[in-house]
Every structure is written in C-alpha cells, then in structure tokens.
Amino acid sequence: MNIRLALEQGSGGAGENEATLSSAPLPPCPSASHHAESSWRPRFLLCCSAQKALSKWGTQALEERFRRKYPHLRILRIDSESVADPSHAAFGCIAHLNEILTQYDLVIASPSLETGVSIDIRGHFDGVWGIFQGVQPVNSVRQMLARVRETVDRHIWVREWGMSVVGNGSTSIGGLLRSQHVATQANIALLSAADNDDYSFVDQNFQPESLQTWGKRGSVINVEMRRYRESVLAGLVEDGYTIIDADDADDDESGAVIESVKAASEQLYTAECQAIAQADELSQTELKKLQDKRAKTKTERHQQRKAELSRRYEVDVTPELVEKDDDGWYPQLRMHYYLTLGREFLTNRDAKRAKAQLEAGENSIWKPDFNKGQLLPAVLLLENLQMLQFLTPDIQLRSSDEKMVEFKALAVQYRHVIKNYLNVSISEKLTPVAIAQKLLAKIDLKLDYVGRLGKRENRECVYRFVPPDDERDSIFRQWLNRDEALNRESVSGSDNIVLPTQGIDTTSQILEEVVSSPQGQAWKGLKLKMQQGLDSAGSFYNQLVSTIGEAIGVADGEPYWNGYLGQWQVWVNFAGGCRSVVCDWLMAV
C-alpha cells in the first residue's frame, strides 16, 4: 500500500508539524548518492520502532547498511544503548539534542526520541523518514514523527497489523479488566490449594482507579493494533495531514534494498552473538555491580548479557544459545520444564514470586503483574489437555484419530480459558493437528510431517513427534539439580520440621503411622478445599478446575498422624504426582 500524506500550510490541527508525509512499502535510502560530489548534502531523521541488531529494520542494522553504502555520510544512531555508552558519540546527547544534531547528515533514532524532546533547529533536516513495524502504540508513532518541528517532508512505512497487545488482547474495557480479575482469583485459589497456605489477606483492590485507566488505555491500544496502518493514518489526518497515494517502488530496487539490509543485519547480529559468547566471565558481585551501572560500554553489555544467560540456563553460553534466547526460548523452555521434570517445584516457584510481590506491595498486588508471574494455571491447562500424549516418538498421528478428535473437542470447548491463560486462539475451523501444533509451540515443540498415507481416495496427512536435538535435556538437569538443592536448603532451614536421622526412609516411616480417623468418616475421594471459595473465582476458574479437571487433587487413602509435624495429613493424587497435605485443607464429599 503506497501512501503519501500532505499538509497544506494553515490547514490547522498539526501545529508546528505542517508537513508532507509519504509512505511506501519499503522506504528507499536517502538519496545522498546524487549529491555526493556536491557541497550540499541532504539530511534526514530516520525513525525506527526497533533497536536490536536482530531486527532488520532496527537502528543498528540500518546504521550498518547506510555506513556501507554511503561511507561519506556523517551518521548518528540514537537508541537506549548508544545514549548510555560513554564511548559512543550519542552518549548524553538528549540534553543537548539541538546542538548535536546539526553535526550529522543522517540521524537514526529508536523510540528514545518518542516523547520528551523537541527538535527546534531550522534549515537542517530535509525530511523525516519512519519505519513502524507495529510495536509502538499508534499515538507514539504520531509523536515520534512530530519531534522535528520544522515543516519538512515525512515519509513512512507502516505495518498493516500490530504485533503486540495489552493483556489478553480484548478490545473492550470490561473484557480486559474481567480477564485480569478472573485470572487473579484463579491464581490465588490455585496457589492456596497447592501451597497449603492462606492467601485470604491479599488486597486485590489495589489502586482501582489506576487499573481502570490501564483497562481504558489498553482496550484502545488493542483496537488500534488490529488495524494498525489504518489507525496511524487516521490519526495523522486528525493532525491535519492529507493522504496522497505515492508511487510504487520498482520491484528490483525494493528487492535489492531488502537484501542489503538483511545482509547487514545478519552479519551484525552474528558478530554480536559471538561477542557475547566470547565475553569474559563475571562473578556474582561483578554482575550485580554492572547491572546497577547506568552507563555501559558495548563490551560491558556483552559481559552482562553472557553472565545473565549463564545463570538463566546454567550451561555454557554459545552463539546459538544467545540467538535462541533472543527468539523467546526461555519462557518456552521454562514451561516445558515445569510441565515435566520440574513439576513438583512449580508450586514453590509461584509461591515465592507471589510472596515477594506481596511483601513489596504490603499485602497488595497489581493484578497484571501478579498474573503474569504465575505459571500454575497454564501448566494445569496443558496437563488437563493431555499435551504430553503427543510427545511419544514414532507414534503416527492423524486428525481423524479418536484421541485427536476428543482433544479438539476439549480444546474448542474451553477455548476462552486457553486464550486467557495461554494466549492461544483456538477455533472450530482448525484441525486437531493444527490445534496441537499451536499449543506445543508454547513449549517450543512440534509434530513433524511424515506424508500423506492411506488409500488413494482417503489419503490423510500423518504426523509424528521427533525429540528435538537442542540440548534442553542438559538444561533441565541443571535446573533440576538447582531446584532440588534449593528445596533441601528450604527444608533444612525450616523451624517447623525436625529432620530424621540420616539414612531413615521417612516415606516408609510416615506410611507406617497411618491410622483410622477418630471420627470414622469415609475419607476416600476427599477433594482440596479452597479457602478463597470456588464461587469467588469466577466462571473461568470453574472451567479451569471444575470442568477440565474437577479436582486439583484427590485423596488416596485415609488420614495419618505425622509425628514430625504434630498434625493429621493425607496423601493426595495431583496431576504431577502424589504428595501429602494437611487435613485442615480437606472436606468430606
């Protein structure tokens, strides 16, 4: 879609930003080559919505591309890294922007120049260019283009659809706030049951006016993200611009630009991944000092990144690991770990995060942040959808298989719960395999296509699971060793538990102490009692716990007296295994 926007003098609505603005699918490079031999040089401000070397249209990749193609240009890159790098020309430039910019022909800026600055210099910039990939809110795009106050041409490319949403992506205030309220109730109820602790003291009504504002603004952003280009152009019209179609760029010329930018980005990013992997190791003290430091050189940033990755994955940092982490591998791997090998440590993990937030907030929580930090509902959903059934190697899967049909029916029935807790959209139009692929992507796994098998008149696509060769098993072992060590420290540091003599099988000892209930009730089939109450958790929680899996845990056997703790307990079967809980949390049914 090629667009040109023009604003006539005196048309109103844009204030000092009366300008001409045009848009093409790929903005061509500033035509400095036509004036290379002239004493006059065109000067431009190029606005980008990305900064990382990984982004082809980010500040770093574009700077590299223009330096190669136009070595005579004086180029300044302004982004969050360059302005905080003492060795970079942009260091501290924001405070003296109008003086510094006059020294450069091309200024490439990230959203660091989105607000809070005013470029008032006259007769310097010949145009403002923008590449907006759907990351910034619509108003941010308009504000960024307005930093240069002089009337000069604006040229932009805007993505048709936005790439990010607020909350669960709801486009209504009620829907956005309701999803947060329900998720909070569910998280607290699940945590109360799994952690055997009382969370009834939590203040869930922290700053309701702020949450209402968050919902209002979030719903607007979500609406605009669905029609990103349309919303940006509509906003610019409100500012006084007139939309005029621009000429299409030549396909060969556009292709050449794309390839050159891609090549610059790939080389730059490869070098950065290698530099991070080869950076010096840091001690914990050195890392903490570097994290607290605001001004950092590129070498220091590489050292910090390597140290953080090393502690996050607990394996040697390689260029491949850096790239995977940039691609969002960690949350996928973490979900897979807690779904399988680390399942028994998930409750403790969520409880620690919750208690840290409660301590910092003096028993109050900010719902969006609290919900974002809890993994238990998402893991329970994947468990109850039986996602692990797809991870058996060499088993061929077809969409017509009975278990696949049942899986799709369950996923479609609870698609709203899945959207709320996993942010995965499920529809009736998708095949069972397509739904499985979308959910498996949450743990960075997939089903491999085998081929179309069967008789000629009834051929069907067949898939199977092939275990990934990405060293996640090594990472999981490290995480398991870490969690087991932390768990032992936690138990040994507790004042409420007296550890038995070394070498005694405590499980066998406890089982031998099982006695009948003094009340003589039928304890079989006991279910966990939520102190928050199921009624207060909302319909989504009822779907999550009551319909997908009616009980989080079901008692297996009769209560027994735990001599170490001085209380009655019972063994309960959870989705992740059997463990003992206090009888105060149980009720007969």
Side-chain angles (χ1 to χ4, degrees):
M1 179 180 179
N2 299 319
I3 299 171
R4 187 181 184 192
L5 305 180
L7 176 68
E8 297 179 356
Q9 291 280 8
S11 62
E16 294 180 290
N17 301 314
E18 297 173 348
T20 300
L21 189 154
S22 64
S23 171
L26 289 170
C29 170
S31 53
S33 58
H34 299 301
H35 309 278
E37 305 301 327
S38 170
S39 59
W40 175 82
R41 291 181 178 179
R43 299 179 179 89
F44 299 99
L45 171 65
L46 175 55
C47 303
C48 305
S49 57
Q51 170 262 322
K52 300 295 184 183
L54 179 62
S55 174
K56 291 191 293 292
W57 304 103
T59 57
Q60 294 190 49
L62 290 175
E63 178 191 30
E64 181 69 15
R65 191 257 176 176
F66 286 128
R67 286 195 187 282
R68 294 179 183 182
K69 190 171 180 63
Y70 305 106
H72 61 282
L73 285 182
R74 298 170 297 174
I75 301 176
L76 180 67
R77 172 171 59 88
I78 301 177
D79 55 34
S80 59
E81 289 187 0
S82 64
V83 298
D85 185 348
S87 64
H88 198 282
F91 179 67
C93 70
I94 301 299
H96 312 285
L97 204 57
N98 287 302
E99 293 79 10
I100 292 175
L101 294 186
T102 58
Q103 304 172 26
Y104 294 92
D105 303 314
L106 174 61
V107 178
I108 306 175
S110 75
S112 298
L113 291 187
E114 190 174 279
T115 58
V117 298
S118 178
I119 301 176
D120 301 308
I121 54 180
R122 300 279 174 171
H124 181 73
F125 286 115
D126 299 294
V128 176
W129 295 68
I131 304 175
F132 302 108
Q133 303 178 72
V135 179
Q136 304 157 269
V138 167
N139 282 350
S140 299
V141 171
R142 295 160 61 186
Q143 291 175 356
M144 198 172 185
L145 290 171
R147 294 308 92 199
V148 174
R149 305 304 187 182
E150 189 177 10
T151 301
V152 293
D153 291 349
R154 264 76 165 168
H155 311 262
I156 65 172
W157 176 85
V158 186
R159 190 183 185 94
E160 187 174 0
W161 309 104
M163 299 175 63
S164 59
V165 295
V166 177
N168 68 345
S170 176
T171 55
S172 69
I173 301 174
L176 200 57
L177 293 178
R178 192 184 312 112
S179 69
Q180 293 297 322
H181 297 326
V182 169
T184 301
Q185 292 285 348
N187 283 322
I188 290 177
L190 288 169
L191 204 54
S192 296
D195 191 36
N196 288 349
D197 206 348
D198 181 10
Y199 288 85
S200 59
F201 63 89
V202 176
D203 179 10
Q204 302 180 40
N205 198 36
F206 176 68
Q207 293 188 352
E209 65 284 351
S210 298
L211 194 61
Q212 187 75 13
T213 301
W214 174 87
K216 289 179 180 179
R217 185 60 192 147
S219 61
V220 171
I221 291 175
N222 290 340
V223 169
E224 293 175 338
M225 284 294 173
R226 294 190 178 187
R227 301 188 299 271
Y228 193 67
R229 179 187 296 166
E230 178 184 334
S231 299
V232 169
L233 297 181
L236 290 170
V237 169
E238 290 181 8
D239 291 341
Y241 294 101
T242 301
I243 301 177
I244 305 172
D245 286 344
D247 296 332
D248 289 333
D250 181 79
D251 289 341
D252 292 337
E253 182 181 355
S254 287
V257 171
I258 292 173
E259 289 302 318
S260 65
V261 172
K262 183 179 179 181
S265 173
E266 289 177 348
Q267 293 178 22
L268 191 67
Y269 184 60
T270 298
E272 180 174 280
C273 291
Q274 292 175 344
I276 293 172
Q278 296 169 3
D280 294 337
E281 301 282 354
L282 297 180
S283 66
Q284 188 61 39
T285 302
E286 291 172 330
L287 173 59
K288 181 64 168 61
K289 186 181 298 184
L290 202 52
Q291 288 173 330
D292 294 338
K293 187 177 179 181
R294 297 189 63 182
K296 304 170 190 176
T297 64
K298 180 177 291 188
T299 298
E300 289 174 329
R301 287 197 305 272
H302 291 162
Q303 291 173 343
Q304 178 180 335
R305 180 75 190 286
K306 179 176 182 177
E308 291 171 344
L309 290 177
S310 177
R311 285 154 179 79
R312 174 178 293 176
Y313 293 98
E314 303 197 21
V315 295
D316 293 337
V317 177
T318 64
E320 293 74 23
L321 182 62
V322 177
E323 187 173 352
K324 282 180 172 292
D325 186 73
D326 283 336
D327 201 32
W329 200 41
Y330 179 67
Q332 297 170 322
L333 217 58
R334 182 182 59 188
M335 183 79 75
H336 188 193
Y337 172 72
Y338 284 121
L339 182 64
T340 53
L341 203 60
R343 180 63 178 84
E344 63 179 301
F345 304 108
L346 176 57
T347 298
N348 189 45
R349 180 262 180 201
D350 278 10
K352 282 184 177 179
R353 292 183 66 90
K355 290 171 182 177
Q357 289 178 323
L358 289 170
E359 183 178 350
E362 298 180 351
N363 296 336
S364 299
I365 56 172
W366 174 252
K367 291 180 180 179
D369 288 344
F370 177 77
N371 295 330
K372 190 181 298 182
Q374 297 293 299
L375 290 179
L376 187 55
V379 170
L380 282 173
L381 262 178
L382 293 176
E383 284 178 348
N384 285 287
L385 289 169
Q386 300 181 20
M387 294 305 301
L388 296 181
Q389 68 177 317
F390 302 116
L391 305 186
T392 304
D394 302 325
I395 299 297
Q396 293 187 349
L397 298 171
R398 297 173 173 82
S399 288
S400 61
D401 293 343
E402 182 179 355
K403 66 178 181 179
M404 297 295 288
V405 174
E406 293 175 352
F407 163 74
K408 175 181 176 178
L410 190 63
V412 170
Q413 183 179 358
Y414 301 112
R415 60 187 180 275
H416 301 298
V417 185
I418 293 172
K419 176 63 177 177
N420 208 39
Y421 292 98
L422 293 173
N423 196 27
V424 174
S425 299
I426 305 295
S427 74
E428 183 71 41
K429 297 179 181 179
L430 296 174
T431 66
V433 170
I435 294 174
Q437 297 283 41
K438 296 186 73 169
L439 292 172
L440 286 172
K442 299 298 293 184
I443 55 177
D444 190 37
L445 295 176
K446 64 183 180 66
L447 300 175
D448 286 356
Y449 177 70
V450 175
R452 290 176 61 87
L453 304 180
K455 297 180 179 179
R456 182 187 300 271
E457 66 276 6
N458 192 29
R459 288 192 174 183
E460 192 173 6
C461 294
V462 178
Y463 296 81
R464 67 172 181 170
F465 173 69
V466 177
D469 184 19
D470 56 9
E471 299 185 0
R472 71 176 65 195
D473 290 344
S474 299
I475 296 173
F476 286 177
R477 284 195 295 271
Q478 292 295 110
W479 288 356
L480 182 62
N481 292 336
R482 174 202 62 194
D483 288 342
E484 287 177 338
L486 291 174
N487 188 57
R488 286 193 296 270
E489 291 178 7
S490 176
V491 172
S492 63
S494 173
D495 296 333
N496 298 323
I497 300 178
V498 180
L499 293 178
T501 304
Q502 186 175 2
I504 295 179
D505 186 346
T506 57
T507 302
S508 300
Q509 182 175 349
I510 292 174
L511 289 175
E512 290 173 0
E513 295 176 356
V514 174
V515 296
S516 299
S517 166
Q519 290 83 5
Q521 295 184 15
W523 290 90
K524 292 287 186 179
L526 290 177
K527 299 178 182 178
L528 289 177
K529 180 182 180 182
M530 309 295 181
Q531 288 192 348
Q532 296 298 112
L534 292 177
D535 292 339
S536 65
S539 59
F540 278 123
Y541 176 69
N542 287 329
Q543 288 177 323
L544 177 64
V545 177
S546 299
T547 53
I548 291 182
E550 186 176 4
I552 297 176
V554 178
D556 183 12
E558 297 178 349
Y560 62 88
W561 177 255
N562 188 327
Y564 293 118
L565 298 180
Q567 58 192 8
W568 290 95
Q569 292 188 267
V570 69
W571 286 96
V572 177
N573 275 318
F574 291 86
C578 193
R579 60 189 285 265
S580 180
V581 299
V582 182
C583 283
D584 290 345
W585 285 80
L586 303 171
M587 64 179 177
V589 294

